[in-house]
PDB file of all heavy atoms in Angstrom:
ATOM      1  N   ASP A 181      50.820 174.203  63.454  1.00  0.00           N
ATOM      2  CA  ASP A 181      50.034 175.017  62.405  1.00  0.00           C
ATOM      3  C   ASP A 181      51.085 175.933  61.674  1.00  0.00           C
ATOM      4  O   ASP A 181      51.052 176.038  60.388  1.00  0.00           O
ATOM      5  CB  ASP A 181      48.946 175.758  63.059  1.00  0.00           C
ATOM      6  CG  ASP A 181      48.153 176.537  62.011  1.00  0.00           C
ATOM      7  OD1 ASP A 181      47.452 175.924  61.222  1.00  0.00           O
ATOM      8  OD2 ASP A 181      48.331 177.726  61.862  1.00  0.00           O
ATOM      9  N   SER A 182      51.910 176.595  62.450  1.00  0.00           N
ATOM     10  CA  SER A 182      52.935 177.515  61.870  1.00  0.00           C
ATOM     11  C   SER A 182      53.976 176.701  60.887  1.00  0.00           C
ATOM     12  O   SER A 182      54.173 177.209  59.836  1.00  0.00           O
ATOM     13  CB  SER A 182      53.646 178.176  63.001  1.00  0.00           C
ATOM     14  OG  SER A 182      54.737 178.995  62.470  1.00  0.00           O
ATOM     15  N   TYR A 183      54.381 175.616  61.421  1.00  0.00           N
ATOM     16  CA  TYR A 183      55.429 174.848  60.725  1.00  0.00           C
ATOM     17  C   TYR A 183      54.622 174.311  59.384  1.00  0.00           C
ATOM     18  O   TYR A 183      55.268 174.207  58.258  1.00  0.00           O
ATOM     19  CB  TYR A 183      55.878 173.642  61.408  1.00  0.00           C
ATOM     20  CG  TYR A 183      56.988 173.962  62.450  1.00  0.00           C
ATOM     21  CD1 TYR A 183      57.213 175.282  62.775  1.00  0.00           C
ATOM     22  CD2 TYR A 183      57.868 173.023  62.932  1.00  0.00           C
ATOM     23  CE1 TYR A 183      58.217 175.674  63.582  1.00  0.00           C
ATOM     24  CE2 TYR A 183      58.828 173.390  63.783  1.00  0.00           C
ATOM     25  CZ  TYR A 183      59.010 174.684  64.128  1.00  0.00           C
ATOM     26  OH  TYR A 183      60.049 174.997  65.016  1.00  0.00           O
ATOM     27  N   ALA A 184      53.396 173.895  59.337  1.00  0.00           N
ATOM     28  CA  ALA A 184      52.659 173.365  58.285  1.00  0.00           C
ATOM     29  C   ALA A 184      52.546 174.487  57.108  1.00  0.00           C
ATOM     30  O   ALA A 184      52.693 174.333  56.014  1.00  0.00           O
ATOM     31  CB  ALA A 184      51.320 172.962  58.654  1.00  0.00           C
ATOM     32  N   LEU A 185      52.269 175.749  57.683  1.00  0.00           N
ATOM     33  CA  LEU A 185      52.163 176.844  56.697  1.00  0.00           C
ATOM     34  C   LEU A 185      53.470 177.210  55.998  1.00  0.00           C
ATOM     35  O   LEU A 185      53.519 177.469  54.813  1.00  0.00           O
ATOM     36  CB  LEU A 185      51.593 178.043  57.469  1.00  0.00           C
ATOM     37  CG  LEU A 185      51.286 179.338  56.481  1.00  0.00           C
ATOM     38  CD1 LEU A 185      50.336 179.021  55.421  1.00  0.00           C
ATOM     39  CD2 LEU A 185      50.719 180.448  57.336  1.00  0.00           C
ATOM     40  N   LEU A 186      54.450 177.180  56.788  1.00  0.00           N
ATOM     41  CA  LEU A 186      55.896 177.464  56.292  1.00  0.00           C
ATOM     42  C   LEU A 186      56.181 176.283  55.281  1.00  0.00           C
ATOM     43  O   LEU A 186      56.917 176.617  54.206  1.00  0.00           O
ATOM     44  CB  LEU A 186      56.941 177.452  57.452  1.00  0.00           C
ATOM     45  CG  LEU A 186      56.911 178.690  58.280  1.00  0.00           C
ATOM     46  CD1 LEU A 186      57.973 178.442  59.474  1.00  0.00           C
ATOM     47  CD2 LEU A 186      57.453 179.948  57.495  1.00  0.00           C
ATOM     48  N   LYS A 187      55.936 175.038  55.608  1.00  0.00           N
ATOM     49  CA  LYS A 187      56.256 173.930  54.642  1.00  0.00           C
ATOM     50  C   LYS A 187      55.484 174.063  53.434  1.00  0.00           C
ATOM     51  O   LYS A 187      55.997 173.783  52.285  1.00  0.00           O
ATOM     52  CB  LYS A 187      55.985 172.640  55.379  1.00  0.00           C
ATOM     53  CG  LYS A 187      56.752 171.563  54.654  1.00  0.00           C
ATOM     54  CD  LYS A 187      58.155 171.600  54.830  1.00  0.00           C
ATOM     55  CE  LYS A 187      58.927 170.428  54.165  1.00  0.00           C
ATOM     56  NZ  LYS A 187      60.332 170.620  54.191  1.00  0.00           N
ATOM     57  N   ALA A 188      54.153 174.480  53.457  1.00  0.00           N
ATOM     58  CA  ALA A 188      53.343 174.631  52.245  1.00  0.00           C
ATOM     59  C   ALA A 188      53.921 175.717  51.381  1.00  0.00           C
ATOM     60  O   ALA A 188      53.859 175.578  50.201  1.00  0.00           O
ATOM     61  CB  ALA A 188      51.945 174.976  52.750  1.00  0.00           C
ATOM     62  N   THR A 189      54.380 176.770  52.111  1.00  0.00           N
ATOM     63  CA  THR A 189      54.987 177.875  51.296  1.00  0.00           C
ATOM     64  C   THR A 189      56.199 177.434  50.569  1.00  0.00           C
ATOM     65  O   THR A 189      56.462 177.798  49.385  1.00  0.00           O
ATOM     66  CB  THR A 189      55.484 179.073  52.345  1.00  0.00           C
ATOM     67  OG1 THR A 189      54.224 179.447  52.926  1.00  0.00           O
ATOM     68  CG2 THR A 189      56.023 180.168  51.431  1.00  0.00           C
ATOM     69  N   GLU A 190      56.946 176.590  51.200  1.00  0.00           N
ATOM     70  CA  GLU A 190      58.198 176.076  50.509  1.00  0.00           C
ATOM     71  C   GLU A 190      57.772 175.045  49.344  1.00  0.00           C
ATOM     72  O   GLU A 190      58.439 175.128  48.223  1.00  0.00           O
ATOM     73  CB  GLU A 190      58.973 175.196  51.581  1.00  0.00           C
ATOM     74  CG  GLU A 190      60.282 174.615  50.999  1.00  0.00           C
ATOM     75  CD  GLU A 190      61.055 173.828  51.989  1.00  0.00           C
ATOM     76  OE1 GLU A 190      61.820 174.560  52.766  1.00  0.00           O
ATOM     77  OE2 GLU A 190      60.961 172.570  52.051  1.00  0.00           O
ATOM     78  N   TYR A 191      56.837 174.280  49.564  1.00  0.00           N
ATOM     79  CA  TYR A 191      56.300 173.400  48.524  1.00  0.00           C
ATOM     80  C   TYR A 191      55.818 174.228  47.349  1.00  0.00           C
ATOM     81  O   TYR A 191      56.031 173.861  46.081  1.00  0.00           O
ATOM     82  CB  TYR A 191      55.175 172.539  48.915  1.00  0.00           C
ATOM     83  CG  TYR A 191      55.632 171.334  49.864  1.00  0.00           C
ATOM     84  CD1 TYR A 191      54.624 170.609  50.591  1.00  0.00           C
ATOM     85  CD2 TYR A 191      56.941 171.029  50.061  1.00  0.00           C
ATOM     86  CE1 TYR A 191      55.039 169.470  51.331  1.00  0.00           C
ATOM     87  CE2 TYR A 191      57.312 169.937  50.870  1.00  0.00           C
ATOM     88  CZ  TYR A 191      56.420 169.165  51.430  1.00  0.00           C
ATOM     89  OH  TYR A 191      56.788 168.211  52.247  1.00  0.00           O
ATOM     90  N   HIS A 192      55.019 175.242  47.614  1.00  0.00           N
ATOM     91  CA  HIS A 192      54.429 176.212  46.576  1.00  0.00           C
ATOM     92  C   HIS A 192      55.629 176.813  45.794  1.00  0.00           C
ATOM     93  O   HIS A 192      55.627 176.860  44.529  1.00  0.00           O
ATOM     94  CB  HIS A 192      53.592 177.192  47.227  1.00  0.00           C
ATOM     95  CG  HIS A 192      52.997 178.172  46.184  1.00  0.00           C
ATOM     96  ND1 HIS A 192      53.352 179.419  45.917  1.00  0.00           N
ATOM     97  CD2 HIS A 192      51.810 177.958  45.455  1.00  0.00           C
ATOM     98  CE1 HIS A 192      52.528 179.854  45.119  1.00  0.00           C
ATOM     99  NE2 HIS A 192      51.650 179.016  44.733  1.00  0.00           N
ATOM    100  N   LYS A 193      56.638 177.303  46.467  1.00  0.00           N
ATOM    101  CA  LYS A 193      57.735 177.909  45.844  1.00  0.00           C
ATOM    102  C   LYS A 193      58.441 176.921  44.877  1.00  0.00           C
ATOM    103  O   LYS A 193      58.885 177.326  43.792  1.00  0.00           O
ATOM    104  CB  LYS A 193      58.758 178.310  46.839  1.00  0.00           C
ATOM    105  CG  LYS A 193      60.024 178.947  46.289  1.00  0.00           C
ATOM    106  CD  LYS A 193      60.913 179.442  47.414  1.00  0.00           C
ATOM    107  CE  LYS A 193      62.289 179.969  46.867  1.00  0.00           C
ATOM    108  NZ  LYS A 193      63.196 180.441  47.923  1.00  0.00           N
TER     109      LYS A 193
END
Side-chain angles (χ1 to χ4, degrees):
D181 182 74
S182 175
Y183 279 18
L185 183 55
L186 285 171
K187 198 65 180 178
T189 302
E190 180 180 281
Y191 284 172
H192 182 260
K193 179 181 177 181

